[in-house]
Amino acid sequence: MGIAEPRTAAGRDGLAGVLAEPERTVVALDFDGTLAPIVPDPDRARALPGVAAALSALAPLVGAVVVVTGRPAAKAVEYGGLAGVPGLEHLTVLGHYGAERWEAGTGEVTAPEVHPGVAAVRAELPALLGREDAPAGTWIEDKDRALAVHTRRTPDPDAAVARLREPLAALAARHGLLVEPGRMVLELRPPGVDKGAALNGFLAGRVRGPVVYAGDDLGDLAAYAAVEKRRADGLPGLLVCSAPVTGEPPVRELADRADLVVPGPAGVVDLLTALAARIGGER
């Protein structure tokens, strides 16, 4: 299985950089929608079969593999089946957009104190969503350090997001939080916490080299921006969009900026597998 050619010149340069300097390359991956299919209940999400094998084949050949997710780090590790996998002894998982860090070497999660606004919003959010003018069918996912309001189960998920954006933003602002929109979800979380900051923080301690980033939703745009900034500084980067395979269109903003669009987590697994085969074959 070969590697699909990126559609952009920057992406082709990024892939060439990865193949030329795999030992300096960081492969960064979102979890939900990228390694795990999107499911109605996030607690039932699991990494696609083949993810652990693809990562364990690739990780020893590159500088680092890191999962960057809005989930708690321990949940991503559990749902991904990423603990104790041969070849992933140096895997890092940045959970809660970098607020938590799990290292395979220790199996431990390190994190700062939770922002006090999260507890305040947690207490007020049910009443806001229970009002008569609130869309029916919304539900809350408690991520400990953030709260996500899902609209997937409402009659019109996009309309529900539009209706809730303003009141949720007002609630978040009262308690020092921000609202981050996604596909059929609005997440309330502390400021200064996003996948771009998480990725930059991880890269800051490493030798400068190529970066591959794969994601599927609006929350991944900040990581895209971080890679684009590195490319402007002359460092290779490859941006991958994991497109839904459920009949939904990909997130337009992400697909438009991606160098390579692949069919969901299965496409990501194929790409990781092909990269491992290509790099391993050239050694």
Side-chain angles (χ1 to χ4, degrees):
M1 179 187 302
I3 302 171
E5 183 177 9
R7 65 183 181 86
T8 66
R12 292 189 288 274
D13 289 344
L15 177 58
V18 170
L19 297 175
E21 295 188 297
E23 70 283 354
R24 290 175 176 260
T25 295
V26 170
V27 177
L29 306 154
D30 170 46
F31 186 76
D32 291 280
T34 302
L35 298 180
I38 296 293
V39 293
D41 181 355
D43 286 335
R44 294 185 178 274
R46 297 295 183 273
L48 194 74
V51 162
L55 290 177
S56 65
L58 180 61
L61 303 174
V62 297
V65 173
V66 57
V67 175
V68 187
T69 176
R71 282 185 178 274
K75 288 293 186 183
V77 173
E78 177 188 352
Y79 295 169
L82 301 176
V85 177
L88 297 185
E89 293 84 0
H90 302 291
L91 177 71
T92 299
V93 177
L94 302 178
H96 285 303
Y97 305 93
E100 292 185 348
R101 185 179 181 120
W102 177 90
E103 299 282 357
T106 64
E108 297 178 354
V109 175
T110 56
E113 293 295 321
V114 179
H115 190 290
V118 174
V121 167
R122 181 181 291 119
E124 295 183 33
L125 195 52
L128 187 154
L129 296 178
R131 295 186 330 201
E132 289 186 1
D133 60 342
T138 59
W139 60 282
I140 302 167
E141 180 188 3
D142 194 329
K143 297 185 175 183
D144 299 328
R145 295 175 178 272
L147 296 143
V149 177
H150 291 268
T151 66
R152 185 176 294 271
R153 300 174 187 168
T154 65
D156 188 338
D158 292 337
V161 166
R163 286 177 60 186
L164 288 171
R165 191 185 297 257
E166 187 173 333
L168 289 180
L171 172 63
R174 287 202 303 274
H175 299 293
L177 304 183
L178 300 175
V179 173
E180 177 70 33
R183 191 189 310 153
M184 292 177 277
V185 64
L186 291 162
E187 184 165 309
L188 294 81
R189 64 174 187 247
V193 178
D194 61 47
K195 292 182 180 179
L199 182 58
N200 281 330
F202 181 80
L203 294 171
R206 305 194 61 83
V207 175
R208 286 161 63 86
V211 176
V212 178
Y213 186 86
D216 78 307
D217 206 346
L218 292 173
D220 296 300
L221 288 172
Y224 268 36
V227 175
E228 290 165 342
K229 173 62 168 62
R230 290 171 65 86
R231 295 203 295 204
D233 293 337
L235 294 170
L238 178 64
L239 298 173
V240 180
C241 173
S242 173
V245 292
T246 57
E248 300 173 20
V251 174
R252 180 179 54 79
E253 294 93 329
L254 209 68
D256 286 350
R257 287 167 64 175
D259 306 305
L260 190 61
V261 179
V262 300
V268 174
V269 168
D270 288 346
L271 175 62
L272 298 175
T273 303
L275 277 173
R278 180 75 177 273
I279 294 169
E282 293 183 356
R283 287 198 162 191

